[in-house]
Amino acid sequence: MTQNGQLNWVFADGNLPPHGENPDLQGHEAIIVTNLNETPARLSFDIYFSDREPVKGLTYTLGAERVNRFRLDKPFCDQGYKIPYGQYSLVLHSDVPVVASFERLDVRQSNMAYITVQGYTY
């Protein structure tokens, strides 16, 4: 079987926006992880901040041939950690290669911004 993806991903531009005033369209960020393997992927997330110590070792098992979208404005991973609003970086480690991307919906202005990017892999 061909291995698709990478083991380590860095998303350096986290900046969790507040939800905004429209309850139907909430500002948020998310990490989307796809496991194309025939075995589950054991994921580990580390969160880095400019003004506090990092939070390391948040865990989640992603099933074989599955995808999960982790909303970062809500509690996530097995530990139910919620990232505080503001600047951070996220590092994702996996025991099998996975594909990951990052998205942000910022609704602080009426001309909202939506971005999606691939992370840096190593």
Side-chain angles (χ1 to χ4, degrees):
M1 179 178 113
T2 302
Q3 296 289 314
N4 294 298
Q6 297 292 327
L7 297 175
N8 300 292
W9 294 82
V10 178
F11 299 91
D13 185 28
N15 191 3
L16 190 59
H19 283 176
E21 298 177 9
N22 182 347
D24 295 326
L25 194 59
Q26 295 183 341
H28 68 274
E29 292 181 331
I31 297 294
I32 300 89
V33 182
T34 303
N35 179 8
L36 299 170
N37 300 289
E38 295 174 354
T39 59
R42 288 188 301 270
L43 308 178
S44 177
F45 295 86
D46 299 333
I47 315 293
Y48 294 86
F49 303 97
S50 62
D51 61 350
R52 65 186 84 188
E53 292 300 309
V55 174
K56 295 183 175 182
L58 302 171
T59 57
Y60 184 85
T61 299
L62 181 59
E65 299 178 320
R66 296 290 185 265
V67 62
N68 194 29
R69 183 174 181 260
F70 298 91
R71 280 277 299 256
L72 301 177
D73 61 317
K74 305 204 181 286
F76 78 106
C77 288
D78 296 333
Q79 295 78 7
Y81 182 75
K82 185 175 181 311
I83 295 174
Y85 293 107
Q87 184 180 19
Y88 68 94
S89 291
L90 183 142
V91 178
L92 163 64
H93 305 283
S94 178
D95 66 335
V96 297
V98 295
V99 177
S101 63
F102 173 86
E103 69 176 35
R104 176 185 300 141
L105 176 61
D106 192 339
V107 297
R108 288 178 277 194
Q109 298 179 22
S110 59
N111 59 340
M112 67 184 136
Y114 180 79
I115 64 165
T116 181
V117 296
Q118 291 297 122
Y120 170 81
T121 62
Y122 64 97

